[in-house]
Amino acid sequence: MTPPLTSSAGYSPDSDPAAGSGGTTAGAVSHRPPLRVAVVGVGAIGGAVIEALEQGRVPGARLGAVLRSSSAPEEVTAAIDAADVVVEASTVDAADDLIPRVTATGTDVVVCSCGVFARHDDPRERLAGGPGAGRVLVPAGAIGGLDVLAAAARAGTADASVRHYTIKRPAALDVDEQLTDRREVFRGSARQAALEFPRTSNASVALALATLGLDRTEVIVVADPHVGRTRHVVEWESPVGRYELQFENAVDPDSGGRTSAITAWSVAEVLSALASGAGPGVVVLAGGRPVEGPEPSP
């Protein structure tokens, strides 16, 4: 799924035949130039986002640069400086370094490795402060319904509870034992889940940031040798209502069973929403408070 890497730090929408007249695609706002997107990471998520951008499948956005771990420091700096938005689709360690660097330039960064926030007491600790700093945008990824859950959390969190079940193949959870039946391999907070399963807990972290925070969001991880797809079940209860959301996602074949195929398209939807100035719910962390959802608690 990952396309060949090209040197694209000097990308210009004017040189892209897919941009069409005025550099826009159907569905984009015609008076706005396309967003220049720098993608960091070329794995299952990054590769699919790169491919979608190159094929013109993200209205209002264009690929500006592709960066990987071997990119030279000057190439990284040039790509960030030229970008309107940066997509992090690499590792938790890379995200930890990238977030302050990008937000300090006033540029927004879409963080896929959002388990990085479990390392910090306050999710906003890694953001650059001060006027004009960029924001962190956390895509919903493998789950949905964050808009209604964030609204429910805004209505009140004192008597609220939220629980996230994740059911995956044993290999995706690094369970080496040959299981014959499903087994619960983790139960704890979203923070603990992200620290123990950093590559498979991003949906739990996004849910936590949108609702009750990393320490009040309960996560149950189940290894099931019989599942062919990844299942997510989200349960919310509070005085404002009771909700149960279920998702069954095809697995990206390039991810070793760890990543849902929908995740990259969640990132694409965020980019398209940024380009048009409006769109579906997304968790946004800024220097003050999130744009959507309550103040995240540690």
Side-chain angles (χ1 to χ4, degrees):
M1 182 172 291
T2 303
L5 284 179
T6 57
S7 178
S8 52
Y11 177 94
S12 168
D14 295 335
S15 66
D16 186 354
S21 177
T24 62
T25 59
V29 178
S30 60
H31 63 275
R32 289 179 175 158
L35 289 177
R36 291 170 296 179
V37 183
V39 179
V40 182
V42 294
I45 298 175
V49 172
I50 291 166
E51 186 175 48
L53 287 165
E54 288 185 328
Q55 293 178 352
R57 300 179 70 182
V58 186
R62 294 289 180 269
L63 183 63
V66 174
L67 298 171
R68 51 183 176 176
S69 58
S70 60
S71 296
E74 58 271 17
E75 182 183 357
V76 175
T77 298
I80 293 174
D81 288 345
D84 296 310
V85 60
V86 175
V87 173
E88 176 281 315
S90 48
T91 65
V92 169
D93 287 338
D96 219 4
D97 292 333
L98 194 66
I99 290 169
R101 181 172 183 176
V102 174
T103 55
T105 68
T107 301
D108 292 340
V109 55
V110 180
V111 176
C112 296
S113 304
C114 59
V116 64
F117 299 114
R119 296 179 171 185
H120 306 282
D121 291 337
D122 186 323
R124 293 175 299 271
E125 283 183 5
R126 294 302 288 157
L127 278 71
R135 304 169 298 171
V136 165
L137 296 92
V138 180
I143 61 174
L146 295 190
D147 51 353
V148 69
L149 296 177
R154 189 176 295 282
T157 62
D159 298 317
S161 64
V162 63
R163 181 178 293 114
H164 179 207
Y165 292 89
T166 298
I167 302 96
K168 293 190 175 186
R169 301 172 185 174
L173 299 169
D174 296 324
V175 175
D176 297 327
E177 183 181 350
Q178 295 296 315
L179 300 182
T180 58
D181 203 356
R182 61 165 45 194
R183 176 183 298 177
E184 182 179 305
V185 297
F186 174 85
R187 183 182 292 259
S189 69
R191 183 187 303 279
Q192 294 167 326
L195 293 174
E196 187 163 338
F197 300 99
R199 293 187 293 177
T200 60
S201 297
N202 292 317
S204 296
V205 173
L207 172 65
L209 293 175
T211 57
L212 301 184
L214 292 167
D215 295 310
R216 285 187 59 192
T217 299
E218 184 182 7
V219 176
I220 298 94
V221 180
V222 176
D224 190 338
H226 305 298
V227 299
R229 297 184 175 190
T230 296
R231 293 190 62 235
H232 295 276
V233 179
V234 178
E235 298 174 347
W236 168 277
E237 187 163 2
S238 73
V240 79
R242 185 180 184 279
Y243 311 104
E244 182 174 324
L245 309 171
Q246 298 190 41
F247 309 89
E248 187 172 309
N249 297 319
V251 177
D252 190 306
D254 294 337
S255 71
R258 293 182 173 85
T259 302
S260 296
I262 192 66
T263 302
W265 293 106
S266 175
V267 175
E269 191 67 12
V270 170
L271 295 174
S272 184
L274 281 175
S276 65
V282 61
V283 181
V284 182
L285 302 179
R289 60 175 297 154
V291 173
E292 176 181 85
E295 187 83 8
S297 57

